[in-house]
Amino acid sequence: MNPPDDAVAVTTAFDELGRLSFAEHSLESVLQRVTELAAGVLPGEPVISMTILSGDRPSTVAATGDLAQHLDQTQYRLASGPCLAAATTGRTAEIVDTRSNTEWPEFAAEAAAAGCDSVLSFPLPVREKVSGALNVYARQFSAADEGVRRLVSRFADYAVVPVSNMYLYESAVERAEHLAAALDSRAVIDQAKGILMERFKLTPDQAFQALTRVSMETNTKVRDIAERFVATGDLPTS
């Protein structure tokens, strides 16, 4: 591909990214497309992956080939390597030549054995507390190339949007699940209180105290006590 063709391919790739709609694509498919387009326009026929940190646990959410998956998993297993460094520090990490690397020697040796000469991991821009990196594994180009760095940076800017949306969606689902569980717990506890109030002529506070007392005596959650009482009519004893 000659330089004019390179420019056209890059422009076309980013035009496509700009047109991607979350209404028509899943968030995962958007991430996959980002990595595929990056692999198509970066020199050296690289394989691309995207690492996301959830807590301290890394995972690969998109990849364009088995080599990228393998080298990501190698770093996760070793707990060491450029993709983890970029994701955790927010700074670009690179191996210009896997055959002469001293910072991550064990990973570099495995990468070289797998046929990967050069690695560039670019951190995703900080957004919605998301940590991650876009990883470029190549056989033919130098990770020190500034043109490559600029392109990878632009792809990372596009990638962070669906990644952050995934984080927000998962957080919203988790909050909704917690709220639903809380409402379910409240409903069964109120039902148990009502039975106690009617059976023993207790006030609402006295009924709740009876449930919590049994909870403490039996080391059982109040919700579980209430569910059993509603189902059987009997309060467990220690």
Side-chain angles (χ1 to χ4, degrees):
M1 191 183 290
N2 58 42
D5 290 336
D6 285 345
V8 170
V10 169
T11 300
T12 301
F14 285 112
D15 283 347
E16 179 178 338
L17 286 176
R19 291 193 302 269
L20 285 178
S21 169
F22 292 139
E24 300 172 357
H25 300 270
S26 69
L27 297 175
E28 291 81 358
S29 70
V30 173
L31 293 174
Q32 187 63 36
R33 191 58 185 147
V34 171
T35 59
E36 289 170 353
L37 288 171
V41 301
L42 291 173
E45 299 182 355
V47 286
I48 312 292
S49 70
M50 196 176 306
T51 295
I52 297 299
L53 293 182
S54 179
D56 293 329
R57 177 178 295 179
S59 61
T60 300
V61 295
T64 62
D66 292 340
L67 177 62
Q69 287 276 10
H70 169 66
L71 294 180
D72 280 357
Q73 293 301 322
T74 298
Q75 293 178 79
Y76 305 159
R77 172 174 54 82
L78 296 173
S80 175
C83 82
L84 296 179
T88 56
T89 67
R91 296 190 296 272
T92 303
E94 63 187 335
I95 300 177
V96 176
D97 184 351
T98 56
R99 289 162 180 77
S100 61
N101 180 259
T102 57
E103 187 168 3
W104 302 288
E106 191 171 358
F107 166 71
E110 294 203 29
C116 174
D117 289 347
S118 184
V119 181
L120 174 65
S121 292
F122 196 92
L124 296 183
V126 176
R127 183 166 176 173
E128 305 297 346
K129 300 180 181 179
V130 171
S131 297
L134 190 64
N135 310 307
V136 181
Y137 301 104
R139 298 176 177 86
Q140 301 173 23
F141 78 91
S142 169
D145 184 281
E146 282 302 318
V148 171
R149 287 170 175 268
R150 286 193 296 270
L151 280 177
V152 176
S153 173
R154 291 181 65 189
F155 278 107
D157 286 338
Y158 275 93
V160 76
V161 176
V163 168
S164 62
N165 283 344
M166 287 175 64
Y167 172 85
L168 290 172
Y169 172 76
E170 291 172 355
S171 296
V173 169
E174 184 177 1
R175 288 195 298 269
E177 290 174 346
H178 287 168
L179 177 60
L183 291 174
D184 287 345
S185 295
R186 178 174 177 177
V188 74
I189 291 170
D190 284 345
Q191 192 174 359
K193 284 167 55 182
I195 296 171
L196 287 170
M197 290 164 62
E198 181 179 1
R199 181 181 299 179
F200 300 108
K201 308 305 178 186
L202 302 177
T203 66
D205 184 58
Q206 289 171 332
F208 185 70
Q209 287 180 8
L211 292 172
T212 56
R213 182 175 62 253
V214 174
S215 172
M216 290 186 290
E217 290 174 350
T218 61
N219 194 29
T220 307
K221 293 180 180 179
V222 173
R223 175 199 167 106
D224 294 339
I225 297 295
E227 284 183 336
R228 175 174 173 178
F229 179 59
V230 169
T232 67
D234 295 324
L235 280 176
T237 57
S238 57

